[in-house]
Amino acid sequence: MPSATALAHPNIALIKYWGKRDEDDNLPAVGSLSVTLDALRTRTTVSFEPGLGRDELTLNGVVAAAEHPRLTRCLDALRALAQCNDHARVDSENDFPTGAGLASSASGYAALTVAGAAALGIDVRDSRLEAVARIGSGSAPRSLHGGFVLLENTATGTRCEPLLAPADWPLHVVVAVTSESGKSTSSRDGMADSRRTSPYYEPWVASHAADLAQGRQLVRARDFAGLAQLAEHNCLKMHAVMLTTRPPLVYWLPVTLACIEVIGALRRDGVPVFYTIDAGPQVKAVCLPEAADTVAAALRQVPGVLRLLTGGLGTGARIVDGNG
Ligand code: DP6
């Protein structure tokens, strides 16, 4: 029975993706620039089984009751590449909260894509796998790669460009976990609502290419101070779109803002750190390695921070043996 197991890490966008230019193909309206983390991981086994009546998913040890259309579409794309008709059993585990703004869909679909491809004998470096992972989640192709990854729109799809390997600029990320519960509105639904209703959606899309180009330059130049200003600006611009969506998308908690203030104060004191926040209340502090302990100590003291996840930058999705 063809089967393979893959590990993938979530990634965190420093220049964000919010909005789609094509919902059916899950094509993003804007590019993005991310760092792949090493601290968190998804481990997924995919087995194609002749005679299985439908694709079956076990997520974090719980068998999913209903069919999962995005999962099936990804598997369909892999089956088309390999000319295989068998359904698959998918067993996936995250070692961090699922669906709470920690990019579990990115690592989840990257691991699924790589494990499924390997099980079917497809080269896991095949660039067509980026499109397969993107069907699952627009941020997932970035987790196929390690370090700093740029995802840009092309005429017909998207393309990833790894910018720097983890060792080229070994930043650290301290994630302040402020809630363990899932988010109230999925990114997918939220993006569709923003596109329809936010007066800031069009300016967000129109001003994005400049942020992406500048982000690429700053990463290549390893300009921390420049990247700090740009990433925070881009993050707040995305949240301005979210907040002005109808109904409003308020992903923050009071503790989220408290973390922003603490990180701002640290930077004013000369500590090289900046924040970014996605579709959830967790705060991701990105810093130079020598500042990681100071940043962690400060965030740990913020009332409402439940725990910290800290680590460096990680590698792209990869095959491991069944016990890995
Ligand atoms: C705020 O990749 O989860 O984290 O493509 O609908 O699955 P879908 O959305 P998803 O959105 C990520 C949004 C974000 C910003 C980012 O990671 O770029």
Side-chain angles (χ1 to χ4, degrees):
M1 190 167 58
S3 173
T5 300
L7 282 188
H9 301 290
N11 67 74
I12 287 174
L14 307 182
I15 307 295
K16 307 292 191 185
Y17 144 53
W18 192 255
K20 300 180 196 293
R21 71 181 198 270
D22 181 329
E23 288 183 10
D24 282 346
D25 280 345
N26 202 29
L27 287 172
V30 293
S32 49
L33 194 166
S34 63
V35 285
T36 302
L37 307 182
D38 70 358
L40 318 176
R41 64 171 207 184
T42 300
R43 184 176 186 280
T44 300
T45 301
V46 180
S47 315
F48 289 89
E49 299 186 16
L52 199 64
R54 61 170 204 176
D55 295 320
E56 291 193 356
L57 170 67
T58 303
L59 183 59
N60 297 326
V62 179
V63 179
E67 286 199 31
H68 209 292
R70 283 209 249 170
L71 176 95
T72 294
R73 282 194 66 190
C74 272
L75 291 167
D76 282 346
L78 290 172
R79 282 186 279 257
L81 288 177
Q83 294 174 340
C84 161
N85 292 320
D86 296 334
H87 286 106
R89 213 179 280 283
V90 176
D91 190 349
S92 187
E93 294 218 6
N94 295 324
D95 68 359
F96 59 95
T98 300
L102 285 173
S104 55
S105 63
S107 53
Y109 281 104
L112 172 83
T113 300
V114 166
L120 291 173
I122 301 166
D123 184 343
V124 297
R125 290 159 309 180
D126 188 324
S127 62
R128 292 176 300 176
L129 296 184
E130 289 181 6
V132 175
R134 196 197 65 228
I135 294 169
S137 202
S139 49
R142 303 184 314 226
S143 277
L144 295 175
H145 305 279
F148 293 77
V149 183
L150 185 91
L151 184 149
E152 61 187 352
N153 281 326
T154 61
T156 54
T158 54
R159 175 178 54 217
C160 285
E161 180 190 344
L163 293 178
L164 291 180
D168 292 337
W169 199 19
L171 300 187
H172 273 234
V173 180
V174 181
V175 181
V177 178
T178 60
S179 165
E180 304 280 4
S181 48
K183 58 188 142 191
S184 44
T185 307
S186 71
S187 296
R188 190 151 296 206
D189 292 346
M191 287 183 200
D193 289 350
S194 292
R195 181 182 178 179
R196 261 202 340 275
T197 64
S198 170
Y200 298 160
Y201 182 79
E202 285 308 326
W204 155 255
V205 173
S207 65
H208 199 278
D211 287 3
L212 199 62
Q214 198 189 349
R216 173 201 250 133
Q217 266 177 12
L218 292 167
V219 166
R220 286 236 188 259
R222 298 169 180 77
D223 179 343
F224 189 87
L227 188 61
Q229 280 196 16
L230 178 69
E232 289 185 355
H233 167 71
N234 185 266
C235 165
L236 293 176
K237 200 161 44 162
M238 178 183 75
H239 282 276
V241 174
M242 292 165 159
L243 290 167
T244 50
T245 295
R246 294 185 184 193
L249 298 166
V250 186
Y251 286 116
W252 296 4
L253 294 171
V255 58
T256 312
L257 202 50
C259 291
I260 290 178
E261 286 186 355
V262 165
I263 291 167
L266 285 172
R267 199 150 86 250
R268 281 192 297 280
D269 284 350
V271 179
V273 59
F274 65 86
Y275 63 81
T276 191
I277 304 157
D278 293 294
Q282 332 294 1
V283 177
K284 293 104 183 195
V286 182
C287 61
L288 292 178
E290 59 270 25
D293 289 346
T294 307
V295 171
L299 288 175
R300 195 172 288 120
Q301 281 173 14
V302 177
V305 170
L306 304 177
R307 61 196 176 100
L308 301 180
L309 302 166
T310 59
L313 304 191
T315 53
R318 62 199 181 278
I319 293 299
V320 291
D321 66 34
N323 306 315

